[in-house]
Amino acid sequence: MPKKFLEKLKTDFIILDGGMGTQLQAAGLPLGGIPELLNLTNPELITKIHSAYVAAGSDVVYTNTFGANRKKMARTGESVERLIKEAIRNARKSGASYVALDVGPIGALLEPLGDLAFEEAVDIFAEEMRAGASADLVVIETMTDLYETKAAVLAAKENTNLPVIVTMSFEENGRTFTGTDAVSMAVTLESLGVDALGLNCSLGPAQLAPIVKTLSENCTLPLIFKPNAGLPDPITGKYDVLPDEFAEAVKAVLPLGVKLVGGCCGSTPEYISKVKLMIEDFKKEHRGVNPAKYMVPRAEGESCVCSASKAVFIDMPRVIGERINPTGKKRFQEALKNGDMDYILNQAIQQAEAGADILDVNVGVPGIDEVSTMVKVVKAIQSVVDLPLQLDSSNPQAIEAGLRVYNGKPIVNSVNGNEETLSAVLPLVKKYGASVVGLTLDHAGIQKTAAARVGIASRIYNRAVKEGIKQKDIFIDCLTMTASTEQEAVMATLEAMQRVRHEMGLKTVLGVSNISFGLPFREQVTTTFLTMALCYGLTLPIINPNVESVIGAVRSYRLLANHDKNSEEYIKAYADYVPEAKRVKTLVIEGNTGAAQTGAAQTAAAGSKNKDAADWEVRATNAFGAEGTALFNAVIKGLKDQGTTLTKACLEKGEALDIVNEVLIPALDYVGSRFEAGKLFLPQLILSAAVTQCSSDVIKETLAKSGGASQNNGKVVLATVKGDIHDIGKNIVKLLLENYGFNVIDLGRDVPPEAVVEAVKREDAKLVGLSALMTTTLPSMKETIEKLHEAGLDCKVVVGGAVLTPEYAKEIHADYYAKDALESCSIAREVYGIKG
């Protein structure tokens, strides 16, 4: 049956089912009820719903197992295996052509955003996969975290032989709740080998159509389209896109490569029936017509690597930063041996700010556990910068460890022409969906002639293709020899690279700075060789982007080669650039005239990469000098380990509460402004809050010892309303509020109105925050507000959640509507009269 599913997918459209939750609620599922338990307590109802979708035209029904993981089912006492096996039996009774094991999110944030370890997530999903191995396919749906999605995909592939299809849920800004963009999703999941990918839930078909277009442009897989039936009316619960309109909206995206269609929240068998009729008409309309006449062309795209939130296309020379590498760097070696993660992370941040597109990560130092260190460093770097990484090691175990925990699509550096290396590393590259660098050397070492190196490149290429790795993901390093000792080899490198690039059609890599080793004025030699190499076809120079002349050569080449359209990137980098000699002279003159400069002003004068933060930073610098500046930057960059140390240093120079008001709050305000502008995303916001949490803990401890009063900007009662068990959003609000100095009374989830009223009375809180994610729990939110008003309590109410709108907030007499956690903090400050 799995093979038949894949065969049908190649040749025909596949009709999926519609919303399960909608149907269960209509059948009387109570608030707070657990849908998965109905597989045991009311199997006839589940089969009846499946059968209705089959009768309407669904080829595939999703098992009623969306939340059947051990985290969510822990409070039920039921085993995951029993629930899933019964769910599959119930689905089989419907007569569906294919039964899909439905796997939804775990319900907890993965590290570094939350406490759930990646391997624990894989294990949770693996339990579901093993229990559901008798299904015809696995569908991983409604995901918002690419990292969690990867964990589920790996679990499916490692524990079943079933086809795997994946859908994620996007917001109208084109990103998921955790900041993943559609390009990174498409590139990562196609590389991981899923059989189809697409969208479900969150929005209606019209709003999701632009995101489908982005997926279509960035992958070649069949696409899935399973939108909501528009948006629900908060009062009636009815969705605003009717079945006929829904089917027409689905029809509009079919030419983009959509092959699997269905509905999510709000859709019913009637919707699926309309979709089925539309598909039949569409097929009749285009019978015998070449698909090229109505399908948008979908060729293999450009080479691309990505993190979870940033995709980098190798469509022009892209800079790989070389500084996270211990070779010849005693200070870096010491950092690795001592576990000094702050030093390593600062290297990552500096290179990102200097203009690197990708970061090379090498942690190979004798005397350390390279495997565990690779995992630690990869996780840490991905928590503070959004650039893709190149995992650099000669140890296959370290490579696999890094690949497994990497969030996105990385590069593996490297393999060579030796079969033992190819056979050890290439299967890992294929399994984890990476690109790979091939070094043109073998058991005989580095060949002297260009022809010999090209021969090794061909051998690596053929072996990689045989392993199933795409041509666009194979990069070749023709190896930079040191000019001071092997001067004649320089041109051989360039000639070999030119042939690899133009005859074989492969992207090329070079460790550029090797060329100048042992020579005086290395910078000049390196820059000249880099310029030559770019003209010979170098696409991925590995360089130090902190050297202005070197990164400047790449920027200049991009401009002159017409990659940098209208010189935009070049002008952005150098519009305010002051040459080093003039910069030093200016500072000396200012010093002689006695002009006092703050640390922030000095940073700006020195051409800081963070000029837009200077105004926010000045308060921290004025109050605590260099230590205040360092703490401010630790917060905005998410350097958690520095929070404690720098706060202690600031305490030696000033008052505890001044640290909060002059450093932490301005830093959070700056991060918030970037978040509002769409320049950073939820992961960075949470990590910045985590740094302030470390700092706040030190401040609280200090104040407790001295008998001083800690900052308390006021009390806020938070609750997820009765019947709703989703609390991730509420927990993020809590984290941010606490870091803005508020005392949060968190009542948890599924909270009755009476409990909220009692808490407000007991705490004399002036602000209540209510959260809901499910349409069916909106009446609970309304009832809670009514109870607060009936009690005559002097408090304001702010509401939020995916199903809320400003209009509904006003209708249920909430005082405020918050679109996200950051706005909740702004409202709290307004209620308590706290000025920024």
Side-chain angles (χ1 to χ4, degrees):
M1 191 68 79
K3 288 185 179 180
K4 290 183 179 179
F5 172 80
L6 292 176
E7 290 169 3
K8 182 175 176 64
L9 185 57
K10 290 178 182 178
T11 59
D12 200 357
F13 293 100
I14 294 178
I15 311 297
L16 307 174
D17 61 10
M20 172 62 77
T22 306
Q23 298 299 92
L24 291 177
Q25 290 155 12
L29 179 68
L31 283 179
I34 300 175
E36 293 78 12
L37 292 182
L38 293 172
N39 291 308
L40 307 176
T41 61
N42 195 350
E44 295 81 8
L45 172 61
I46 302 303
T47 298
K48 180 180 178 182
I49 293 171
H50 289 319
S51 298
Y53 281 122
V54 171
S58 294
D59 301 304
V60 179
V61 295
Y62 289 17
T63 56
N64 180 35
T65 55
F66 179 80
N69 64 71
R70 65 172 178 255
K71 275 272 188 183
K72 288 185 176 180
M73 294 297 107
R75 63 189 179 120
T76 70
E78 287 294 342
S79 81
V80 169
E81 181 177 12
R82 184 182 178 214
L83 282 171
I84 289 178
K85 288 186 180 300
E86 289 301 317
I88 292 175
R89 288 192 187 96
N90 296 335
R92 290 277 183 220
K93 293 175 185 176
S94 70
S97 298
Y98 310 101
V99 169
L101 171 65
D102 187 7
V103 177
I106 293 170
L109 289 172
L110 272 68
E111 297 173 331
L113 303 183
D115 299 324
L116 185 64
F118 180 78
E119 285 301 338
E120 184 181 355
V122 174
D123 190 57
I124 290 170
F125 285 125
E127 184 179 19
E128 295 180 77
M129 303 303 175
R130 289 191 294 269
S134 63
D136 302 313
L137 66 147
V138 173
V139 54
I140 299 163
E141 67 158 334
T142 324
M143 306 299 282
T144 59
D145 183 353
L146 188 61
Y147 205 28
E148 183 179 13
T149 308
K150 176 179 178 177
V153 171
L154 288 178
K157 289 186 165 292
E158 291 172 349
N159 292 275
T160 79
N161 293 315
L162 300 177
V164 180
I165 67 175
V166 181
T167 52
M168 296 187 74
S169 294
F170 283 76
E171 299 175 3
E172 284 194 85
N173 64 3
R175 292 184 180 267
T176 70
F177 175 67
T178 61
T180 292
D181 65 293
V183 178
S184 294
M185 173 203 171
V187 169
T188 300
L189 295 182
E190 181 165 21
S191 297
L192 283 171
V194 304
D195 297 290
L197 60 85
L199 311 173
N200 83 292
C201 205
S202 67
L203 299 168
Q207 292 93 337
L208 287 178
I211 304 173
V212 177
K213 185 174 185 295
T214 300
L215 294 178
S216 178
E217 293 167 346
N218 290 281
C219 79
T220 61
L221 295 176
L223 298 182
I224 309 164
F225 195 49
K226 209 169 189 281
N228 286 348
L231 298 173
D233 182 287
I235 304 300
T236 65
K238 293 182 178 179
Y239 285 72
D240 62 4
V241 176
L242 298 177
D244 285 315
E245 181 185 355
F246 184 89
E248 283 301 307
V250 171
K251 180 180 179 180
V253 300
L254 295 183
L256 296 173
V258 171
K259 295 290 292 294
L260 303 97
V261 295
C264 202
C265 299
S267 62
T268 64
E270 185 180 1
Y271 284 77
I272 300 305
S273 178
K274 295 294 184 180
V275 168
K276 175 71 172 178
L277 291 172
M278 178 273 295
I279 292 289
E280 290 175 352
D281 289 342
F282 185 87
K283 288 161 67 174
K284 290 176 183 176
E285 181 182 346
H286 296 97
R287 182 171 293 150
V289 178
N290 187 329
K293 297 290 186 180
Y294 63 86
M295 293 288 289
V296 174
R298 299 185 68 207
E300 280 282 355
E302 185 59 84
S303 301
C304 182
V305 292
C306 67
S307 64
S309 58
K310 185 180 183 68
V312 173
F313 290 94
I314 319 299
D315 54 356
M316 66 177 77
R318 297 294 187 182
V319 171
I320 301 178
E322 69 180 8
R323 298 297 299 166
I324 306 175
N325 189 318
T327 305
K329 304 182 184 77
K330 290 184 178 179
R331 177 66 184 88
F332 195 93
Q333 292 172 15
E334 291 173 4
L336 287 172
K337 291 177 180 178
N338 299 329
D340 183 358
M341 200 57 61
D342 286 347
Y343 179 84
I344 297 168
L345 295 184
N346 276 314
Q347 292 294 321
I349 291 168
Q350 288 170 17
Q351 291 183 99
E353 292 177 344
D357 300 298
I358 301 162
L359 299 180
D360 185 78
V361 178
N362 185 315
V363 297
V365 173
I368 71 168
D369 182 346
E370 186 181 358
V371 174
S372 62
T373 303
M374 178 67 84
V375 170
K376 182 178 180 181
V377 171
V378 167
K379 285 183 173 180
I381 291 174
Q382 287 208 292
S383 74
V384 299
V385 299
D386 64 354
L387 298 184
L389 304 183
Q390 174 174 273
L391 308 184
D392 185 353
S393 177
S394 59
N395 182 340
Q397 289 76 34
I399 288 175
E400 178 166 25
L403 285 172
R404 192 166 181 86
V405 300
Y406 183 82
N407 190 4
K409 179 183 178 180
I411 304 172
V412 168
N413 186 12
S414 56
V415 295
N416 56 48
N418 293 324
E419 177 56 33
E420 55 267 34
T421 302
L422 295 169
S423 60
V425 176
L426 290 181
L428 301 177
V429 172
K430 174 62 176 174
K431 175 179 178 178
Y432 293 102
S435 295
V436 64
V437 174
L439 306 180
T440 54
L441 60 84
D442 56 16
H443 62 278
I446 301 175
Q447 301 296 314
K448 291 187 177 296
T449 67
R453 295 191 205 181
V454 173
I456 297 173
S458 297
R459 191 191 318 158
I460 294 169
Y461 168 76
N462 291 332
R463 186 68 174 74
V465 170
K466 185 177 179 181
E467 194 67 44
I469 299 168
K470 295 181 178 180
Q471 175 175 330
K472 68 178 183 179
D473 289 324
I474 304 167
F475 309 149
I476 297 296
D477 186 339
C478 292
L479 300 170
T480 306
M481 308 302 289
T482 302
S484 60
T485 59
E486 299 191 54
Q487 195 169 351
E488 72 283 355
V490 174
M491 293 309 298
T493 295
L494 295 177
E495 290 168 13
M497 185 176 64
Q498 185 179 49
R499 289 185 59 184
V500 167
R501 182 75 189 97
H502 298 291
E503 294 177 16
M504 297 179 66
L506 302 180
K507 300 295 193 293
T508 57
V509 181
L510 278 182
V512 176
S513 59
N514 289 345
I515 195 71
S516 60
F517 186 79
L519 291 171
F521 197 6
R522 289 190 63 186
E523 184 178 324
Q524 178 167 274
V525 177
T526 299
T527 304
T528 302
F529 176 69
L530 171 59
T531 304
M532 294 171 67
L534 290 168
C535 292
Y536 272 78
L538 175 59
T539 42
L540 288 165
I542 303 176
I543 62 174
N544 180 358
N546 299 310
V547 179
E548 196 60 58
S549 63
V550 176
I551 189 71
V554 177
R555 288 177 175 140
S556 298
Y557 178 85
R558 289 172 177 169
L559 184 157
L560 297 172
N562 200 31
H563 296 304
D564 180 7
K565 300 298 182 183
N566 301 315
S567 310
E568 289 181 4
E569 290 186 12
Y570 187 88
I571 292 170
K572 181 180 179 182
Y574 296 115
D576 300 318
Y577 180 72
V578 178
E580 184 69 27
K582 291 185 178 180
R583 195 184 310 153
V584 172
K585 184 178 180 181
T586 300
L587 291 174
V588 170
I589 291 172
E590 288 176 347
N592 288 339
T593 58
Q597 286 187 309
T598 66
Q602 289 171 342
T603 300
S608 167
K609 303 297 183 183
N610 251 341
K611 284 183 289 185
D612 57 344
D615 291 341
W616 305 77
E617 185 181 353
V618 68
R619 286 172 58 182
T621 309
N622 285 341
F624 295 96
E627 289 81 0
T629 303
L631 181 56
F632 176 92
N633 282 294
V635 173
I636 68 173
K637 293 170 182 174
L639 297 173
K640 187 175 179 181
D641 291 346
Q642 293 187 11
T644 300
T645 303
L646 291 171
T647 302
K648 290 178 180 177
C650 288
L651 283 168
E652 295 178 1
K653 303 186 72 171
E655 296 297 323
L657 292 182
D658 286 342
I659 298 175
V660 175
N661 294 321
E662 304 302 323
V663 182
L664 301 183
I665 296 301
L668 280 177
D669 284 346
Y670 170 70
V671 172
S673 72
R674 303 270 292 173
F675 178 80
E676 290 285 358
K679 295 181 179 179
L680 58 79
F681 306 99
L682 184 65
Q684 294 95 330
L685 187 65
I686 292 177
L687 288 169
S688 292
V691 179
T692 63
Q693 187 67 59
C694 293
S695 185
S696 297
D697 290 344
V698 174
I699 291 169
K700 289 175 184 176
E701 182 180 347
T702 301
L703 290 171
K705 289 179 180 178
S706 65
S710 61
Q711 176 161 330
N712 183 357
N713 285 333
K715 295 180 178 180
V716 182
V717 172
L718 290 184
T720 300
V721 298
K722 176 66 178 174
D724 205 315
I725 60 171
H726 300 86
D727 61 358
I728 288 178
K730 172 187 66 63
N731 292 342
I732 294 170
V733 172
K734 176 185 177 183
L735 177 64
L736 289 179
L737 282 172
E738 287 180 336
N739 283 289
Y740 272 103
F742 292 95
N743 180 7
V744 178
I745 296 90
D746 183 5
L747 303 182
R749 57 189 183 183
D750 192 16
V751 181
E754 296 78 13
V756 177
V757 172
E758 177 57 32
V760 174
K761 287 180 179 177
R762 182 179 66 250
E763 303 292 342
D764 191 26
K766 302 302 180 186
L767 182 63
V768 178
L770 301 178
S771 172
L773 189 65
M774 302 163 61
T775 308
T776 53
T777 61
L778 290 178
S780 292
M781 181 175 282
K782 180 181 179 182
E783 182 185 357
T784 302
I785 295 173
E786 289 173 349
K787 295 284 187 184
L788 289 167
H789 290 164
E790 289 171 7
L793 297 171
D794 180 22
C795 66
K796 301 291 186 181
V797 180
V798 54
V799 297
V803 295
L804 267 293
T805 63
E807 294 74 23
Y808 183 64
K810 183 177 181 181
E811 190 167 325
I812 61 177
H813 302 295
D815 298 287
Y816 300 95
Y817 163 78
K819 68 178 185 295
D820 53 41
L822 191 63
E823 189 166 353
S824 298
C825 295
S826 299
I827 291 167
R829 294 168 82 178
E830 177 184 330
V831 168
Y832 280 100
I834 300 167
K835 300 189 182 299

